[in-house]
Amino acid sequence: MFEVNPNPPSANAITSLADTNTFLAEQVMPKVYQQLQLFASDPTFVDQLKLPFGDSLDIQKAQTLATEWLTGNFSTLAPIKIVASADIKGSSGAFADTTNQIYLAEDILTGSNVNQAVSVVLEEIGHSIDPRLNSSDSLGDEGEIFANIVQGKVLSSKQIQTLKAENDHATITIDGNILSVEFNDEVYDYYSQNWGGEIFDWTTGQNESKGWYPFTRNDQSSVTTRNSISRNWGNGSPSDVGSDYFGVNLYTITNFEAGNTYNFSVTADDFYRVGVIPVNAYDSNQWVNISGQDWNWLNDANSTKQYTFTPTTTGEYWVYAGYAEKQDTASFNISWTTNVNPNPINPTPFPSSTDGLESEEVKLYNLVNEYRTQNGLPPIAVSKALTTVANRHVIDLGENIGQVTHAWSDAAYDSNNSSTWPNMWRAPERLNTGYSGYGYEVVTGYSGFNSPSMSAEEALNSWKNSPPHNSVILNQGIWSDRPWGALGVGLYEGYGALWFGEEVDPTGQPLVS
């Protein structure tokens, strides 16, 4: 009989942290664990570790780390202690080898700083595993290099050189003990209302770089937010250059939604140009020059100029804003807002008759909940919205893609590229299902087209025999604190998918045929 669980389970608490902090336990650490697990699944895991930790790292210990993280075992990570920022000299985080303890500043553990907190924790994890992999401390700020690699960010050779030369060591006093620590000292923090920029001097006609600077200070003449930056140098200039003939290349990271139109406003008393590119894009052809079809410098924004940008993929993007000052006063402003597209992109406009549950899908739904019950877990309520997503995705796989992937025909997914992950998480919203929460998928199947039909038993057995997928179904490892409130099921030809969500589905149950 087809039954629905009317009472989804309540959240489980993470109890392995040194300090109890709901924000850290429920929002930050699940993302940290997920990113570490995805990083560990990369076949080049050990080779990538050589950039922050050197070529002489212990290969066997690195492989052990990969095995632990891939299976959701994070028990060997250094415990976290929450302290006042003043205790760690105003830094966001620190690690002490003598106590094997990570220290986090309490003021970053707020609702608006999830990405920043994740980055800080990953950096300190990088500091903490260095002694495990090496007999001596790695050069420079290995923690920040590690955090960037885990998050799929690409550092320029100049940034790597800067970080390799950085001294992030200091002493602090905690509980009356003097400790030697490695600080979180992010050279370029592009999150939480921050921009970074490179300043150039071209008084001699040559672009001479004067280095990278964080542009984070707000006062009467300069304002920085996540979606804007305003600089008015008057008759002055940034540091280390004269008041005329200088340039600034400004960068930040922001999220753009596919199909939404973003309205850019630019004001500049001299020359400017504006562009965007997906984070971790390796092809320069992926740059979009918002201010024109080429990269020529423009000088027409003494009065505000308006531009629009409509991305085709959802994810994190670099925003680049270049300013070149010739003479006299110097000022530059850029900001953007969005108009939500009333007709968002629907990548798989299949007939609604496929959006319900057929008999084999009902069987799979019941098998999943029986399996959970056998493991002491409550059943998950069936979801109309997530079943729609599951059915449309397996049809997309069977008809258009021909392989097992979280990608859609027009929405890329790469486990090593964090900018593509929202293409899975936000699929319920993107398909206008009425479900506003994130969706998390486990998928299985045979490669190719016109493959043998996937049965309910075959689908579930494939996930049970795959530790990462089994962990999702049974709320284990990094999924232990996510109370599944909704479940969608889809089977089509040789492909099967389950979609999980934490929120109860307000659209109710799917039709059963």
Side-chain angles (χ1 to χ4, degrees):
M1 179 178 177
F2 182 64
E3 297 181 350
V4 176
N5 169 34
N7 298 306
S10 59
N12 297 320
I14 293 179
T15 58
S16 60
L17 301 175
D19 289 84
T20 301
N21 180 283
T22 301
F23 179 81
L24 179 64
E26 296 183 359
Q27 298 192 50
V28 177
M29 296 310 296
K31 289 189 175 184
V32 169
Y33 294 152
Q34 183 181 46
Q35 291 187 20
L36 290 175
Q37 190 172 46
L38 287 170
F39 178 49
S41 69
D42 192 319
T44 64
F45 175 82
V46 173
D47 288 335
Q48 290 196 66
L49 287 183
K50 291 180 180 179
L51 179 59
F53 303 116
D55 293 334
S56 61
L57 63 81
D58 191 315
I59 301 296
Q60 184 175 355
K61 291 181 179 178
Q63 291 171 338
T64 299
L65 266 185
T67 300
E68 290 175 355
W69 295 351
L70 190 60
T71 57
N73 177 11
F74 303 101
S75 61
T76 61
L77 294 180
I80 295 173
K81 182 179 180 64
I82 300 169
V83 296
S85 178
D87 291 339
I88 50 177
K89 298 186 176 180
S91 182
S92 298
F95 169 74
D97 188 17
T98 53
T99 59
N100 189 38
Q101 185 102 54
I102 291 172
Y103 301 93
L104 283 186
E106 60 185 354
D107 57 7
I108 69 166
L109 299 177
T110 62
S112 62
N113 291 328
V114 176
N115 287 329
Q116 181 189 8
V118 169
S119 296
V120 172
V121 172
L122 286 172
E123 180 171 345
E124 297 314 322
I125 288 174
H127 288 145
S128 70
I129 64 174
D130 187 25
R132 181 173 172 180
L133 300 176
N134 287 302
S135 57
S136 60
D137 184 47
S138 297
L139 292 175
D141 192 350
E142 74 280 0
E144 183 168 354
I145 298 174
F146 170 80
N148 278 281
I149 291 174
V150 172
Q151 295 176 94
K153 300 175 185 177
V154 177
L155 295 172
S156 69
S157 58
K158 183 177 180 66
Q159 288 173 306
I160 293 172
Q161 182 181 5
T162 299
L163 290 171
K164 287 286 188 179
E166 185 177 316
N167 179 14
D168 59 350
H169 289 260
T171 58
I172 61 174
T173 301
I174 298 289
D175 298 329
N177 298 312
I178 298 176
L179 304 174
S180 176
V181 298
E182 290 182 271
F183 276 126
N184 160 264
D185 185 16
E186 294 181 307
V187 177
Y188 310 115
D189 177 12
Y190 297 104
Y191 291 102
S192 187
Q193 301 185 354
N194 284 294
W195 290 64
E198 187 172 15
I199 299 174
F200 294 90
D201 183 344
W202 50 286
T203 54
T204 62
Q206 301 293 323
N207 281 336
E208 179 186 355
S209 175
K210 292 296 183 178
W212 286 77
Y213 297 84
F215 285 82
T216 59
R217 184 173 61 90
N218 292 339
D219 56 32
Q220 291 182 347
S221 62
S222 58
V223 178
T224 303
T225 71
R226 183 67 180 274
N227 292 350
S228 70
I229 186 167
S230 174
R231 284 293 182 270
N232 185 351
W233 292 285
N235 290 316
S237 67
S239 302
D240 300 329
V241 292
S243 59
D244 295 324
Y245 299 101
F246 67 83
V248 182
N249 285 336
L250 297 163
Y251 299 89
T252 191
I253 288 177
T254 193
N255 288 298
F256 289 137
E257 298 282 344
N260 289 353
T261 297
Y262 295 83
N263 303 307
F264 282 73
S265 298
V266 180
T267 307
D269 78 321
D270 276 328
F271 300 90
Y272 72 95
R273 57 188 182 184
V274 178
V276 300
I277 191 172
V279 169
N280 301 327
Y282 294 99
D283 186 350
S284 61
N285 291 326
Q286 291 179 260
W287 273 104
V288 177
N289 184 356
I290 293 176
S291 55
Q293 294 182 349
D294 52 41
W295 288 101
N296 291 334
W297 291 92
L298 303 176
N299 187 17
D300 59 358
N302 286 304
S303 297
T304 302
K305 291 283 291 186
Q306 302 287 340
Y307 299 98
T308 61
F309 168 60
T310 304
T312 57
T313 59
T314 295
E316 289 184 325
Y317 283 72
W318 287 103
V319 176
Y320 159 75
Y323 172 76
E325 165 63 15
K326 188 175 180 181
Q327 289 178 313
D328 301 323
T329 59
S331 64
F332 177 74
N333 306 279
I334 180 174
S335 62
W336 61 91
T337 58
T338 180
N339 294 328
V340 176
N341 188 346
N343 299 301
I345 295 173
N346 184 346
T348 52
F350 299 111
S352 60
S353 60
T354 67
D355 294 342
L357 285 172
E358 297 180 349
S359 59
E360 195 68 15
E361 292 167 335
V362 172
K363 184 177 182 180
L364 176 56
Y365 171 80
N366 285 327
L367 285 175
V368 169
N369 277 329
E370 288 173 9
Y371 181 48
R372 286 175 57 85
T373 300
Q374 293 166 5
N375 285 272
L377 297 170
I380 308 170
V382 68
S383 163
K384 176 182 178 181
L386 296 184
T387 294
T388 295
V389 177
N391 273 293
R392 294 189 182 187
H393 193 216
V394 291
I395 292 175
D396 197 20
L397 296 177
E399 294 292 333
N400 302 317
I401 299 176
Q403 63 179 346
V404 176
T405 175
H406 293 306
W408 297 69
S409 294
D410 68 343
Y413 184 92
D414 181 351
S415 62
N416 297 315
N417 184 347
S418 62
S419 69
T420 67
W421 299 346
N423 289 337
M424 174 177 65
W425 301 336
R426 294 171 179 162
E429 180 180 1
R430 188 158 49 91
L431 296 179
N432 289 324
T433 64
Y435 189 84
S436 60
Y438 280 4
Y440 303 91
E441 181 189 45
V442 297
V443 62
T444 188
Y446 307 107
S447 297
F449 302 99
N450 300 315
S451 52
S453 295
M454 175 72 63
S455 70
E457 290 87 356
E458 288 172 324
L460 181 58
N461 285 335
S462 72
W463 293 318
K464 289 167 68 174
N465 292 323
S466 171
H469 297 102
N470 191 61
S471 295
V472 177
I473 296 172
L474 296 182
N475 293 109
Q476 296 175 344
I478 63 173
W479 307 99
S480 62
D481 69 329
R482 292 180 182 267
W484 299 135
L487 174 62
V489 181
L491 291 170
Y492 180 76
E493 294 186 350
Y495 297 91
L498 300 176
W499 280 75
F500 297 83
E502 295 180 75
E503 292 81 2
V504 175
D505 184 0
T507 68
Q509 303 177 23
L511 295 175
V512 180
S513 58

